[in-house]
Amino acid sequence: MCQPLEGRAIAVVGAGVAGLSAAVALAERGARVSVYEQARTLGRESCSWLAGGMLAPGCERELGEPRVAERGALALDWWSQHVPGVNRHGSLVLAPPRDHVELQRFAMRTGGHRILNADAIGTLEPDLAGRFATGLWFAGDGHLDPRLALPALGERLKELGGCLFLDTATEPAAISHGSVIDCRGLAAREALPALRGVRGEMLLLRSRDLHLTRPVRLLHPRIPLYVVPRTDGLLMLGATSIESEHAGPVSVRSSLELLNAAYILHPALAEAEIVEFGVGVRPALPDNLPHLQHKGRVVHFNGLYRHGFLLAPWYAEQLAVQMATTNKVLA
């Protein structure tokens, strides 16, 4: 039975993708790790639970921040080594004919893709055959299901001898022993006043008529859409990134825009079942990149913004290396 660790140990506060990836990276280097999570069920109350799970450094170059793609290049291999079910079939970027200029712009801002004609799109995704004249295939991308990956990381931590305490609300200052990794997202604002919340909304659909093998991004000048396939006919729809900390239900406007974009991707989605609406407020820092900020014996791992599963592995490994190098807790 797990007991709270004392002495030269590490306490991780928060069990979203930041906290769990950090805990596993540290435990793999021999640290004694305890993770404290206020929710009763692993992951369900974190914004990580609502993430798309896309591991797409190629596509992320479109945003113009090279460090996201460079640091995200580790993600696909890292996740494949730590959790089951990682899909390595790339990602597909499409646009309706009237928005072809958006596809050209996306191609110019990225790299490492292959330009596809209609026949090639149909070969990759047979259910999209004949719907789009051209597209971009990023073969080096992949994706996972966060709702499978988070529990799998928790199990990996236990295999390494770490402890996971659910339904345990705690503050970093209340932990008197060892080092503390603060991964509480927006709840850490008292220590990181520059944090802001960015609202993201998602829909989960079940379709019997549209089957996809890889994430598909549909470009649109107002609200781009991404559709990520999961098991049992489920499709996760997302795209919204709203500068707001309002955590209330999905708005009518957002739901209509997401569903309209989905209909453009394929009319069969009009007959899909709506399984879930979800809203998450993601923690972001002014440069929209994660930071590792050392303040005494507390390290704040925060600001993953919309890149949680893509960037968490790189920062978790950096954190583990830093702590091992400085001999703070891994002696």
Side-chain angles (χ1 to χ4, degrees), residues 1-323:
M1 180 177 178
C2 271
Q3 298 293 329
L5 299 178
E6 298 179 354
R8 296 178 69 81
I10 302 177
V12 177
V13 183
V17 66
L20 288 173
S21 59
V24 167
L26 289 161
E28 287 179 335
R29 285 170 173 78
R32 296 182 299 135
V33 183
S34 290
V35 176
Y36 299 88
E37 168 57 44
Q38 65 180 353
R40 294 182 179 181
T41 305
L42 186 63
R44 285 186 180 273
E45 294 184 18
S46 70
C47 55
S48 304
W49 193 253
L50 302 172
M54 291 183 293
L55 309 174
C59 286
E60 291 303 329
R61 291 185 182 277
E62 187 265 343
L63 297 174
E65 175 46 78
R67 286 175 291 181
V68 172
E70 293 164 3
R71 296 173 183 181
L74 171 70
L76 201 54
D77 286 340
W78 194 93
W79 286 109
S80 296
Q81 293 162 10
H82 288 87
V83 304
V86 177
N87 183 302
R88 304 182 71 118
H89 295 306
S91 56
L92 185 60
V93 181
L94 303 171
R98 67 171 183 268
D99 297 319
H100 183 69
V101 66
E102 298 291 328
L103 193 66
Q104 293 176 320
R105 182 180 62 83
F106 198 99
M108 288 188 293
R109 291 186 175 184
T110 58
H113 54 262
R114 175 184 164 193
I115 300 175
L116 305 181
N117 60 21
D119 290 340
I121 293 170
T123 299
L124 279 183
E125 295 291 353
D127 284 0
L128 298 179
R131 294 200 51 77
F132 298 91
T134 186
L136 308 174
W137 180 35
F138 292 80
D141 289 353
H143 73 281
L144 53 73
D145 184 342
R147 300 182 182 189
L148 300 178
L150 293 175
L153 275 190
E155 290 302 313
R156 174 61 178 157
L157 176 64
K158 294 175 185 177
E159 291 171 2
L160 293 166
C163 293
L164 180 59
F165 298 97
L166 299 175
D167 197 17
T168 306
T170 189
E171 297 285 332
I175 299 172
S176 59
H177 58 273
S179 298
V180 181
I181 315 300
D182 185 353
C183 301
R184 293 176 296 149
L186 287 176
R189 183 173 278 158
E190 77 283 355
L192 300 173
L195 275 174
R196 74 184 196 282
V198 182
R199 175 182 169 96
E201 299 157 317
M202 58 79 77
L203 277 71
L204 197 61
L205 306 180
R206 177 173 284 111
S207 175
R208 298 178 177 85
D209 303 309
L210 177 63
H211 302 278
L212 299 174
T213 304
R214 55 189 55 76
V216 176
R217 298 185 185 224
L218 183 68
L219 303 182
H220 186 280
R222 187 174 68 257
I223 178 167
L225 172 81
Y226 58 77
V227 180
V228 186
R230 295 187 178 169
T231 58
D232 193 27
L234 292 174
L235 298 169
M236 187 272 195
L237 276 63
T240 62
S241 188
I242 302 167
E243 293 289 335
S244 169
E245 297 186 8
H246 176 56
V250 175
S251 69
V252 170
R253 173 180 293 182
S254 292
S255 61
L256 286 175
E257 288 183 334
L258 286 171
L259 291 170
N260 284 335
Y263 185 81
I264 293 171
L265 178 66
H266 201 294
L269 289 178
E271 303 303 322
E273 302 167 357
I274 297 177
V275 177
E276 178 183 336
F277 287 99
V279 172
V281 181
R282 300 163 289 196
L285 289 161
D287 61 358
N288 290 333
L289 287 172
H291 287 209
L292 297 172
Q293 298 189 26
H294 296 252
K295 295 186 178 182
R297 64 187 185 87
V298 178
V299 181
H300 298 278
F301 177 13
N302 214 319
L304 282 167
Y305 183 42
R306 54 185 294 275
H307 305 301
F309 285 86
L310 180 64
L311 292 184
W314 189 90
Y315 284 88
E317 293 295 333
Q318 288 295 306
L319 173 64
V321 168
Q322 289 174 16
M323 300 192 81

